[in-house]
DNA sequence: ATACATACCGACTGACCGGTCGGTATGCAG
DNA sequence: CTGCATACCGACCGGTCAGTCGGTATGTAT
């Protein structure tokens, strides 16, 4: 009953899904078009019917994911509230993402350097628009409102993202517990308050 | 006049040096043994006379560098003084490293995943002993002395290393100026004090 | 001088991989 | 029913690359 369009669309989706799984598990060079085709239950011919090249498939897969992520993070950035609340919401959304999707954000940064020209530029832009720029929005507001010390907002955003990345991975999982909240608090406390022991402060 | 031993040693050194330059500039898969041999002014045959495989060459090159780095960072960690001073010294040493050697520290983390088994384990261990464990020593002391808030020291160390990595790269260079000190202060301030605006505190 | 080891050469091989192409199957439009 | 487009197949090609191997040159020990 499904027409050709639907058929093609589901095949494309199968290929993209298989590519995503494989690219997360292995490096770009290690994943062969043959492997992707086999995992998607088509042949290489079928794969190349829908995608011009291995690179085009990778880029297509990644751009789709980055678009979705951007929508998700834009919601958090658009929230009302303190910078800490908004960063918390965004980070929580990120940490609660399925592991595979979260890994894709690391993947872009890892793989961007193996491309060049147009594809590379599009990937970089899409990544920055998906995550770092959303963080930067919040940080910039935080500086304007006196919540965050006046520093270069982009540098601060990257620092924040770097701290979040530390908290992914099994060691942090083991230390901070299974729930998202532990990791979240750890990141926010460290980012806003630093690692120094609390000085005794004058209390009201 | 030099005997065969010296001759072989210098050839090996040439090969390792060429490999280092190339692996920093391009990814593992993109660097061919032919390119390394050519850059080292030997043939592939000559290269394979000294190294059993491409992987063995990579590992050998990396372990040599990590050993040197470890010695350097151990000095800083062995210093007297506050945790902040010692971390500052270690970070300064790191930031003042020639760009190529500094890049190698990123390389390990990037490339570790393409190996497996024994080679992988040795690389991971050597890296951790070279940098993160040196940081962890200092952090642990800082916690013991009440300078750093009691948190998991390993997690804190990784966070610190992540913050340092942000500060390498051209954007940070442009924002924080050419000198090492600007980047150094930025990292230390952020790590110890956090990003929050200073609250007005009771002063003596 | 002779014999042996070590350094090095470079043509070659075998495997792999991205991409192609001629062909078949399946629907849809007139 | 016919003709055309689209989806898909799978054998194949061109090229690349890690690794090999028979050979030569250069020292070194006896």
């Amino acid at each position: 009953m499904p027409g050709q369009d639907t058929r093609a669309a589901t095949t494309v989706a199968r290929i993209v899904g298989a590519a995503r799984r494989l690219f997360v598990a292995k490096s770009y060079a290690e994943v062969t078009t043959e492997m992707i085709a086999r995992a998607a239950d088509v042949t290489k011919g079928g794969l190349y019917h829908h995608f011009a090249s291995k690179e085009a498939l990778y880029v297509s897969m990644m751009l789709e994911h980055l678009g979705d992520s951007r929508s998700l993070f834009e919601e958090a950035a658009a929230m009302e509230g303190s910078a800490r609340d908004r960063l918390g919401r965004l980070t929580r959304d990120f940490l609660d993402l399925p592991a595979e999707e979260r890994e894709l954000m690391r993947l872009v940064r890892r793989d961007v350097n193996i491309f060049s020209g147009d594809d590379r530029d599009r990937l970089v832009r899409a990544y920055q628009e998906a995550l770092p720029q959303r963080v930067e929005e919040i940080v910039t507001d935080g500086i304007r409102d006196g919540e965050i010390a006046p520093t270069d907002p982009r540098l601060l955003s990257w620092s924040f993202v770097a701290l979040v990345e530390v908290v992914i991975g099994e060691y942090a999982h083991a230390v901070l517990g299974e729930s998202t909240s532990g990791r979240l608090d750890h990141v926010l406390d460290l980012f806003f308050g630093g690692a120094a022991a609390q000085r005794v402060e004058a209390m009201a």
Side-chain angles (χ1 to χ4, degrees), chain A:
Chain A
M1 193 80 32
Q4 286 196 100
D5 298 2
T6 335
R7 183 154 140 75
T10 62
T11 302
V12 166
R14 263 201 339 270
I15 294 173
V16 169
R20 201 166 75 171
R21 253 174 287 129
L22 287 165
F23 282 129
V24 166
K26 291 168 165 286
S27 79
Y28 182 78
E30 280 169 338
V31 176
T32 69
T33 53
E34 171 72 36
M35 288 166 60
I36 300 173
R38 190 177 293 273
D41 214 37
V42 288
T43 59
K44 281 205 328 183
L47 189 155
Y48 274 90
H49 175 72
H50 292 290
F51 296 94
S53 66
K54 182 185 179 184
E55 184 170 327
L57 167 55
Y58 180 97
V59 170
S60 169
M61 175 273 287
M62 191 58 87
L63 288 181
E64 181 183 319
H65 171 258
L66 290 176
D68 292 349
S69 296
R70 174 178 177 158
S71 305
L72 179 66
F73 299 141
E74 268 176 342
E75 274 185 58
M79 248 179 69
E80 296 290 318
S82 68
R84 186 178 174 120
D85 287 342
R86 291 160 72 201
L87 278 181
R89 160 75 181 281
L90 186 150
T91 307
R92 175 179 291 278
D93 286 348
F94 179 71
L95 292 176
D96 283 341
L97 239 35
E100 188 182 298
E101 292 180 38
R102 229 173 31 210
E103 274 304 299
L104 280 173
M105 301 301 280
R106 273 212 281 189
L107 216 61
V108 211
R109 312 213 305 184
R110 186 188 79 189
D111 290 343
V112 144
N113 298 307
I114 66 183
F115 302 124
S116 62
D118 219 45
D119 280 337
R120 188 194 137 98
D121 293 345
R122 288 203 319 224
L123 281 179
V124 169
R125 234 215 319 265
Y127 169 71
Q128 288 179 344
E129 287 172 357
L131 186 55
Q133 281 184 21
R134 300 309 125 213
V135 174
E136 192 175 334
E137 270 178 39
I138 303 176
V139 167
T140 303
D141 288 349
I143 294 173
R144 185 200 55 205
D145 299 340
E147 185 181 353
I148 294 177
T151 329
D152 184 82
R154 189 169 308 175
L155 220 47
L156 265 190
S157 307
W158 290 357
S159 301
F160 182 77
V161 173
L163 289 179
V164 173
E165 270 194 10
V166 171
V167 111
I168 310 170
E170 44 189 91
Y171 181 73
H173 226 258
V175 170
L176 299 172
E178 297 301 311
S179 83
T180 304
S181 305
R183 291 196 283 287
L184 187 57
D185 290 342
H186 177 265
V187 169
L188 291 176
D189 288 346
L190 186 54
F191 180 72
F192 282 97
Q198 302 303 322
R199 276 163 294 176
V200 179
E201 291 173 37
M203 296 190 119

